[in-house]
């Protein structure tokens, strides 16, 4: 049923109705719409705008409708324009004209953004929970390789040796920032819009602050025009989703490289690989590749909503209907991808011997020569030049740095002697990196321990928020 029409001589043409109709995608807001309707009912009853007997009947019908929606026994029909009209139809089927009493003091403008805020909090918390599980998998895998050297890369070229646990753990820190962003986002999003009406508030004796508290929001809106037009929380949530997607994409790229024949470091579990329809020998890292590929749609959804929001005038505009499908898609995409990537990481094994053998290649220990001279008070510009000359000597004679003679070292720089060979080892290079956040194995072990503790605390906080939200949603 339509929620408007009294001033119109005829209904919309089929093409206009098809364009306007949103119930096929906004129906997933139904549980949140029912909960916000119950909160609105409370203030209407409290203010005397609905008599107690009628309010009790509406409340009973809302609870029944909630059960029917959850079971799938009440669903939209072709004539329903959106989730709000579908649910009002359900109430009126149960109660007659009394079912339309809930419309007093609210508009679809404040109603839909309240519903969408509730939906977004619920689902971003779910994504946060999945992120903490992914972090645990990363950190536990990293802890297995704390004492294993591997090449560190810049520009996809061998740079300096690092312990492989350090390499893996870096991803957990990226997701920790995503969790921080979620926490910040929650504070800005926990603002109720209900009571703003179409754009100007209401002349009826409703209580937006009371409704906000009833719905678990931290506060109510401060400006009714902004309340119905604000979609910052959607755009910001989409940015968080896009950033998570970028971080997942970087994992996907590394796992694809590491599992290639050229690297052959990673053995991805069969459970997270697929084969070829024509080449029977193939084992493809499809989870990694799909994680990398899905980032494109997450970024695209953000751009789509930002473009829609750009230059919108005044309060509510129908353009804002376009916020939901991209947002829903990003939420669904991450809920699909995160468990698969978590499983892939947890079940991947790495070839310790191959990584250790590769760690010193490409003259990755050359910085140790420069640091050796710097410790002897040689200006680093000179130390860097001397180390580069050592590399040139080795390339010209097909040797490694430790194979240069004492005389050759001395010819490069008078302060360079045979003692430098003591630092031209993987063990020496790794253990010397003792500055905060460095790759020394003892530091990395503590870093992982600290990150696991922080992740556990975050997991507890998210779990508590989810439990509170579930309790709030109970009709």
């Amino acid at each position: 049923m339509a929620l408007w029409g009294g001033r119109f001589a005829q209904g919309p043409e089929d093409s206009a109705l098809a364009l306007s109709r949103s119930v096929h995608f906004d129906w997933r807001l139904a549980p949140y719409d029912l909960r916000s309707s119950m909160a609105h009912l409370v203030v209407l009853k409290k203010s005397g705008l609905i008599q107690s007997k009628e309010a009790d009947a509406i409340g009973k019908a809302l609870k029944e409708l909630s059960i029917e929606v959850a079971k799938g026994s009440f669903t939209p029909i072709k004539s329903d324009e959106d989730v709000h009209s579908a649910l009002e139809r359900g109430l009126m089927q149960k109660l007659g004209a009394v079912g339309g009493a809930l419309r007093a003091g609210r508009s679809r403008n404040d109603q839909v953004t309240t519903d969408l805020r509730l939906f977004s909090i619920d689902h971003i918390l779910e994504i946060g929970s999945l992120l903490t599980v992914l972090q645990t998998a990363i950190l536990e895998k990293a802890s297995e390789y704390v004492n294993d050297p591997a090449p560190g890369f810049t520009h996809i070229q061998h740079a300096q040796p690092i312990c492989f646990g350090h390499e893996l753990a870096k991803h957990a820190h990226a997701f920790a920032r995503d969790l921080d962003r979620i926490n910040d986002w929650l504070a800005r999003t926990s603002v109720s819009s209900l009571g703003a009406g179409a754009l100007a508030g209401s002349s009826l004796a409703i209580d937006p602050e009371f409704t906000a508290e009833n719905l678990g929001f931290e506060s109510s809106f401060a400006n009714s025009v902004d309340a119905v037009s604000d979609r910052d929380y959607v755009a910001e949530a989409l940015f968080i989703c896009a950033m998570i997607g970028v971080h997942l994409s970087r994992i996907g790229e590394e796992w694809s490289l590491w599992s290639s024949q050229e690297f052959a470091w990673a053995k991805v579990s069969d459970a997270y690989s697929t084969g070829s329809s024509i080449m029977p020998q193939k084992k493809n890292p499809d989870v990694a590749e799909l994680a990398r590929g899905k980032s494109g749609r997450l970024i695209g959804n953000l751009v789509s909503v930002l473009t829609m929001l750009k230059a919108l005038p005044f309060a509510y505009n129908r353009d804002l209907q376009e916020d939901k499908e991209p947002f829903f898609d990003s939420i669904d995409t991450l809920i699909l991808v995160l468990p698969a990537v978590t499983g892939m990481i947890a079940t991947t094994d790495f070839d310790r011997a191959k990584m250790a053998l590769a760690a010193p290649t490409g003259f990755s220990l050359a910085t140790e020569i420069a640091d050796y001279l710097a410790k002897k008070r040689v200006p680093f510009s000179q130390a860097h030049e001397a180390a580069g000359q050592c590399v040139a000597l080795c390339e010209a004679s097909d040797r490694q740095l430790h194979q240069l003679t004492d005389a050759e070292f001395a010819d490069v720089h008078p302060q360079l002697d045979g003692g430098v060979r003591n630092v031209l080892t993987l063990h020496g290079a790794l253990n010397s990196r003792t500055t905060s956040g460095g790759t020394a194995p003892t530091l990395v072990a503590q870093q992982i321990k600290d990150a696991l503790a922080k992740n556990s605390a975050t997991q507890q906080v998210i779990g508590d928020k989810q439990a509170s939200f579930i309790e709030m949603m109970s009709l």
Side-chain angles (χ1 to χ4, degrees), residues 156-184:
I156 322 182
Q157 303 294 322
H158 284 210
Q160 291 176 274
I162 60 171
C163 78
F164 192 61
H166 198 49
E167 183 79 72
L168 292 173
K170 72 178 188 284
H171 293 296
H173 293 280
F175 292 122
R177 292 191 295 275
D178 293 325
L179 285 164
D180 287 343
R181 277 186 276 270
I182 286 174
N183 187 57
D184 294 341

Side-chain angles (χ1 to χ4, degrees), residues 18-98:
L19 176 62
S20 177
R21 194 170 185 262
S22 62
V23 71
H24 53 289
F25 59 80
D26 67 20
W27 180 244
R28 65 193 299 175
L29 295 179
Y32 310 96
D33 192 83
L34 287 164
R35 180 62 185 88
S36 67
S37 292
M38 184 65 82
H40 188 59
L41 175 65
V42 171
V43 296
L44 292 177
K45 179 181 178 180
K46 178 183 171 186
S47 65
L49 290 165
I50 297 181
Q51 293 182 0
S52 181
K53 184 179 178 181
E54 292 178 338
D56 291 345
I58 294 172
K60 182 174 180 289
L62 284 171
K63 290 178 182 179
E64 291 173 357
L65 202 53
S66 178
I67 294 169
E68 292 165 7
V69 167
K71 288 182 176 179
S73 58
F74 181 85
T75 57
I77 59 176
K78 188 176 181 180
S79 60
D80 292 327
E81 184 179 12
D82 55 29
V83 62
H84 316 295
S85 57
L87 292 174
E88 182 168 300
R89 172 177 59 82
L91 284 177
M92 295 185 76
Q93 285 174 352
K94 292 178 181 295
L95 302 170
V98 172

Side-chain angles (χ1 to χ4, degrees), residues 134 138 153-156 167-168 170-175 177-178 181 241-259 287-296 298-299 337 341 344-345 350:
L134 174 57
I138 292 168
F153 292 86
T154 63
H155 308 278
I156 322 182
E167 183 79 72
L168 292 173
K170 72 178 188 284
H171 293 296
H173 293 280
F175 292 122
R177 292 191 295 275
D178 293 325
R181 277 186 276 270
C241 291
M243 202 70 246
I244 293 169
V246 168
H247 292 149
L248 289 169
S249 179
R250 297 182 77 173
I251 288 175
E253 174 70 3
E254 289 187 353
W255 251 252
S256 297
L257 286 172
W258 289 342
S259 62
V287 169
E289 293 173 0
L290 286 167
R292 187 176 58 191
K294 294 288 186 184
S295 64
L298 295 169
I299 294 167
V337 172
V341 173
M344 178 189 72
I345 290 172
F350 293 93

Side-chain angles (χ1 to χ4, degrees), residues 270 272-286:
D270 287 357
Y272 294 94
S273 306
T274 66
S276 165
S277 61
I278 190 172
M279 296 169 283
Q281 85 283 3
K282 289 295 297 295
K283 179 180 176 181
N284 301 323
D286 280 19

